Amino acid sequence: MIRFENVSKTFKRNRVLDGIGLDIGLGERVALIGSNGAGKTTLIRCLLGEYTHEGEVAVEGLAPRTERTRVLAAVGFVPQLPPPLKMPVGQLIGFAAALCNSDEKRIAALALRLGLDVEKVRQQPFVKLSGGQKQKILIAIALGRDARLLIMDEPAANLDPEARKIFFELLAERQHDTTMLISSHRLNEVASLVNRVVELDMGKVVLDDRVADDVSLSGLLDCRIRVKRSEPAFAKALAAWDFRSSADGLEWTGEVAGPDRLRFLGMTSRYVALIADLSFSETEKVSLPETAA
């Protein structure tokens, strides 16, 4: 459904994306993680056709940059930063509903589930709302349409804990019929929702991990991590997972239970600038020879 082929983007000699290659299929739910400046938002902007770039981007075979109207017709998007729109909330919802062929009442109902009564702010300019109120409106607009592709850039950043909980429940209701690309610093929040994790660092894909929806509860994965330098805080975190270090402290090995893979990646994502390489492989079961009676 989505293809990035050797995609690069440079801003004033700063290479923000460096040869990205990714294929995201229909129904995949992808967590896009990485530290600030890793390239997550730039990749999303290229996908939405907002930036020129090297390489090719396609959504269902269409180039977002040249066929943006057709591409965006199938996309529900929640930006990281709300746009400074001066129109009243009611007018914004009406405009979005007409543009996306959705129902104003459905959008209002979704906002209410998130804890915002649209009727109480209908006459207020969108730009005057609080950060949390703006985010709830934008989420309701994105989820209020029958989009086959949801793209969300740090969508829960301004939500209160209860609204964040409801938001991920709403996403879970769509997980069987929608492709999702969710940029987030909090992998632990979306771990139960996504089935793939893509990590960016310095504009490159440094991890692409698919997780089956039916991961065996008894499955084990061998994990090997190489770090750029020794770091006591990371060493302590890995020791809590019973990982073992090499003599110089630059390589760590251990086992991670299949269902804990995303939780483990959520921990390691806090140290993305430190990690040089991280890999998983399935643990091979060794059959012991039978002894003679």
Side-chain angles (χ1 to χ4, degrees):
M1 185 176 191
I2 300 173
R3 167 164 288 188
F4 296 96
E5 187 172 344
N6 199 29
V7 175
S8 297
K9 178 63 180 177
T10 302
F11 292 105
K12 297 180 179 179
R13 299 183 181 179
N14 180 26
R15 204 163 184 80
V16 180
L17 298 178
D18 190 4
I20 297 292
L22 282 173
D23 285 305
I24 299 174
L26 181 64
E28 285 198 280
R29 306 180 300 279
V30 180
L32 184 64
I33 65 172
S35 59
N36 288 334
K40 303 187 301 298
T41 296
T42 301
L43 188 68
I44 287 175
R45 296 295 180 181
C46 290
L47 179 57
L48 295 171
E50 296 183 13
Y51 290 158
T52 58
H53 53 79
E54 299 172 42
E56 296 183 5
V57 179
V59 178
E60 294 190 319
L62 301 175
R65 185 67 181 173
T66 57
E67 300 191 68
R68 197 172 179 202
T69 300
R70 293 179 64 188
V71 169
L72 294 184
V75 173
F77 174 57
V78 181
Q80 182 178 13
L81 298 175
L85 300 175
K86 296 181 180 180
M87 67 175 68
V89 171
Q91 184 179 340
L92 172 60
I93 292 176
F95 174 76
L99 186 66
C100 305
N101 194 28
S102 54
D103 185 353
E104 288 187 53
K105 293 182 179 179
R106 181 180 179 185
I107 294 173
L110 287 166
L112 188 60
R113 283 186 64 179
L114 290 165
L116 177 64
D117 187 345
V118 169
E119 293 306 317
K120 293 183 179 180
V121 296
R122 180 172 290 275
Q123 302 305 321
Q124 293 185 35
F126 177 80
V127 72
K128 297 293 185 180
L129 299 181
S130 69
Q133 289 175 321
K134 292 175 183 175
Q135 202 71 354
K136 290 172 183 178
I137 292 293
L138 294 175
I139 289 171
I141 289 173
L143 298 183
R145 55 184 309 198
D146 295 320
R148 297 179 64 197
L149 174 59
L150 288 176
I151 302 172
M152 292 157 282
D153 192 0
E154 297 289 350
N158 292 316
L159 298 181
D160 56 84
E162 181 60 25
R164 187 178 292 118
K165 175 177 176 292
I166 298 298
F167 170 58
F168 287 112
E169 288 178 359
L170 290 170
L171 290 184
E173 293 173 7
R174 298 283 296 274
Q175 64 179 316
H176 298 298
D177 59 2
T178 308
T179 300
M180 301 182 190
L181 181 62
I182 308 170
S183 169
S184 178
H185 280 99
R186 302 183 180 186
L187 180 58
N188 60 308
E189 285 186 329
V190 297
S192 62
L193 177 69
V194 303
N195 53 18
R196 184 177 176 186
V197 178
V198 173
E199 183 174 350
L200 298 184
D201 184 30
M202 298 182 68
K204 294 179 178 290
V205 175
V206 295
L207 176 72
D208 187 354
D209 188 51
R210 289 177 172 83
V211 181
D213 292 326
D214 57 349
V215 174
S216 170
L217 294 177
S218 60
L220 285 176
L221 300 165
D222 285 325
C223 180
R224 184 179 300 274
I225 299 175
R226 192 172 71 254
V227 296
K228 300 173 184 176
R229 64 183 183 279
S230 181
E231 172 61 54
F234 190 43
K236 183 178 179 180
L238 287 175
W241 285 79
D242 295 325
F243 269 55
R244 302 164 299 280
S245 72
S246 59
D248 59 7
L250 298 181
E251 189 165 299
W252 292 79
T253 56
E255 292 182 337
V256 178
D260 289 333
R261 185 191 310 200
L262 292 184
R263 187 165 63 88
F264 179 78
L265 289 174
M267 181 277 292
T268 60
S269 68
R270 298 195 296 270
Y271 302 94
V272 63
L274 179 69
I275 296 173
D277 184 63
L278 185 155
S279 62
F280 284 112
S281 61
E282 293 185 9
T283 300
E284 294 184 3
K285 295 181 179 180
V286 179
S287 300
L288 297 176
E290 294 183 4
T291 56

